[in-house]
Amino acid sequence: MLKKILFPVDGSEYSKRAINTVSELANKFNAEVILLHCHYIPVQYSPYYVPNLELEKDILDMGKNILKDANEELEKAGIHPVNLLKEGNTGPMIIKIAEEENCDSIIMGFRGLGAIGSMLSGSVSNYVIHHTKLPVMLIH
């Protein structure tokens, strides 16, 4: 039985497709939904990084909009999620939040690049399924 679902979103068509599944399962099991968006600027750790507050604000605003859009869709289905906007490397942050929030499952969209594509692109969904003990449902 599901009690608390972590639903990471990135604004892609794949995460938008997962909204219906999350809504159905949350309603069926009366589960709480934790809606998560992670933003990450890896260049800030480079010795060549020049701070760009405008770029960082734009990325933060984009993350807020992604959360807002997903939240609105979930609320249409009667789900009132907890919204989290976090900065950090996406895969590890999903695992960390799932643990901190005591989630019992993770549902997320994925592109379905296949084994080679996932290996080359460093797929977030691939990272998550290999680093959590929780059940993970991937929606394509």
Side-chain angles (χ1 to χ4, degrees):
M1 183 152 103
L2 300 175
K3 293 181 182 175
K4 195 181 254 191
I5 300 167
L6 179 62
F7 180 31
V9 293
D10 63 4
S12 70
E13 277 305 308
Y14 305 99
S15 67
K16 289 177 184 176
R17 288 182 199 156
I19 290 173
N20 289 337
T21 302
V22 170
S23 298
E24 288 174 19
L25 291 171
N27 279 323
K28 180 176 182 173
F29 293 103
N30 197 28
E32 182 179 356
V33 175
I34 307 294
L35 188 58
L36 170 67
H37 176 76
C38 301
H39 60 281
Y40 181 55
I41 307 171
V43 294
Q44 66 187 341
Y45 302 108
S46 163
Y48 306 107
Y49 175 69
V50 177
N52 183 334
L53 296 178
E54 186 175 326
L55 173 64
E56 291 178 20
K57 181 188 177 310
D58 288 346
I59 289 171
L60 184 61
D61 288 345
M62 183 176 68
K64 288 177 182 177
N65 286 331
I66 289 168
L67 273 178
K68 178 180 163 280
D69 291 346
N71 186 73
E72 287 174 358
E73 290 301 313
L74 288 169
E75 287 196 346
K76 286 179 188 175
I79 308 299
H80 304 287
V82 171
N83 291 274
L84 298 177
L85 179 62
K86 298 289 183 176
E87 181 176 357
N89 194 341
T90 306
M93 184 61 68
I94 290 170
I95 302 301
K96 178 181 178 190
I97 297 301
E99 290 172 2
E100 288 178 357
E101 294 292 329
N102 296 313
C103 294
D104 54 23
S105 63
I106 300 171
I107 300 175
M108 58 193 293
F110 84 114
R111 294 188 321 203
L113 297 173
I116 303 288
S118 292
M119 226 171 41
L120 295 174
S121 72
S123 161
V124 171
S125 57
N126 189 45
Y127 181 91
V128 170
I129 63 174
H130 287 95
H131 290 87
T132 187
K133 294 178 182 176
L134 297 176
V136 178
M137 182 183 290
L138 301 176
I139 309 297
H140 180 60

